[in-house]
Amino acid sequence: MRSSLIRRRSRHAKAHIWVRVALAVLGALVGAGWLVLPVMTAGARDPLPASPAGTVASASAAQQDGTSAADLVLPLVAVVAAVVLAGYGYLRRTRRARTRTTPGTVSVAPPTPTPADSERQARAALVLADDCVRTSREELSFVRERFPDAETEPFVHALRAAETELAAACAIWRRYEQGVPEDAVARRQALVGVIGRCAEAGRRLDAESAELDRLRELEGPGLAGALETAEGRFRELAGRTVTAEDTLTALHDHCTPTATAPVTGYVEQAKDRLVFATVQLNEARQAADAGDGGRAAGHLRAAEGAVAQAGVLVTGVERLAAQLEEAARLVPAALTGAESAIAAARQGGSRKPLTSGELHARLAHADGVLAAVREELTAGPYDPLDALRRIARAVERLETVHGGAPRAAALLVARSSVTGADEFVAVHRGGVGPEVRVRLAEAERELGADRPDQADALAREARDLAERDVRAHGNPYAGTDGVEPGLAGAVLGGVLLAEHQDGGPPTSYGGPETRSRHDFSTPT
């Protein structure tokens, strides 16, 4: 419809120009006619009657001269007026055409993005928004350690709002992946919704970043206190890392490799982050001594990010050890609860009707699972969390109304899977794509809705996808000479954005517009 309107306007504009040109030509012809007419009729006038000589004759001659002058002036005025009017109209129309800003003349509407373009934008927006939320959460932990809750409440509120927007964007994208909605227009609007929600999450954080800087005063008197806080947490984590290494060694003696697989390499990565933090803390103090507050703030933020991630890695080892211990205590009770559920199913206690063949197959599977777990308990070592997972799933397939130990087992397993996947993404987010983040967000929703089996399955899928992404990402600094210790890990963890050769800038609390404001790098 717009193109037809443009064509009609174009034809209408051309018609106006031709009308004005025609009027100018007509005026010129009329004026020329008036000029030629006296000449053509001068010899054909009726002879004047004889007049008395003298005064009367002189008056007659004067009258003829006056009539001839009037015949020449009036047509000339008409021609000039017509030409002026036509020229004015033409110039005015040309000026309006050149300065017009309405669609159809000068400006052209941007092309509509293709579905593939919109999908790429949505995927990038999800990754960016999730990175901003995670980085803001890390810096806020240092801020809340130094300042009272009343002063940090606006930043906490903005972070919670951003988390809500991000969760909504992930939910929309997940439905989009599943083919909902089906209509092409509605699917395009869904992508617009994802991009808009992510943009709003970033805007919420950007809006508070300047006020956070004013509170912290990292480029001024607040730097000394911030350094003390970061160094204090660094020293604490250095001691916990040694303990975590001993804990992991003990786990290897009592559990199978699959039990400790979720935290394999975590102690080494924690040490790597702490080495990087050591360098950055030293650089921050040197820059502060030199009076370069901006550079000192940048190095401090890099150190804080590395210390925060070392904390995630060490906590991951401690958490898994505690959950494996809890799971080992729960296994005997879970076996007893599962036996009760099997007996109830045999007596027809299923929540929904099952055919005799289905019931028989599920009962046989449950009996086999319980027998395998008992054998593992006797033989040892084994994976307590995996044993609980198998027991809980076998009971769930029986469709019985159950609670007690099997239910507690399912919840413990789901919490372990969801937390473990979140920890992995937090310290590898520089190489993790949107699918991982969306699966993880859905797992958290399922866990919050008290659906532990679905939460566990989604979290395990997210973890598998994340490990695949990290393997594909690789080490961009492999084979590079003179690389700063810990730099590759800091980039992989999203502590640094790797926009410059030295890995900088570091990330800070804020959205896309402000997260890289504390830069210690010299662009190359």
Side-chain angles (χ1 to χ4, degrees), residues 109-126:
T112 302
T114 64
D117 292 337
S118 297
E119 284 187 11
R120 281 192 293 270
Q121 293 175 12
R123 289 165 58 88
L126 285 167

Side-chain angles (χ1 to χ4, degrees), residues 352-398:
K352 67 179 185 179
L354 296 174
T355 65
S356 59
E358 288 176 331
L359 181 60
H360 177 76
R362 295 185 184 190
L363 287 170
H365 172 75
D367 286 334
V369 168
L370 298 190
V373 171
R374 289 193 186 95
E375 184 177 352
E376 291 172 5
L377 283 173
T378 303
Y382 73 111
D383 182 350
L385 283 170
D386 184 63
L388 289 181
R389 176 179 293 111
R390 287 180 287 152
I391 293 171
R393 289 185 177 179
V395 171
E396 182 66 24
R397 293 182 72 240
L398 297 177

Side-chain angles (χ1 to χ4, degrees), residues 266-349:
Y266 273 24
V267 171
E268 290 74 17
Q269 292 181 57
K271 292 178 180 179
D272 184 71
R273 297 293 196 280
L274 291 176
V275 168
F276 178 78
T278 301
V279 174
Q280 296 303 314
L281 288 170
N282 290 335
E283 292 283 352
R285 287 211 172 271
Q286 291 174 11
D289 293 341
D292 191 345
R295 189 173 178 83
H299 285 294
L300 173 65
R301 276 300 306 134
E304 288 179 339
V307 168
Q309 292 199 1
V312 171
L313 291 161
V314 172
T315 300
V317 175
E318 297 168 344
R319 170 197 57 78
L320 181 62
Q323 289 175 338
L324 286 171
E325 183 179 352
E326 182 181 358
R329 292 195 303 266
L330 188 57
V331 168
L335 286 169
T336 302
E339 290 170 350
S340 299
I342 291 173
R346 283 196 172 98
Q347 295 174 2

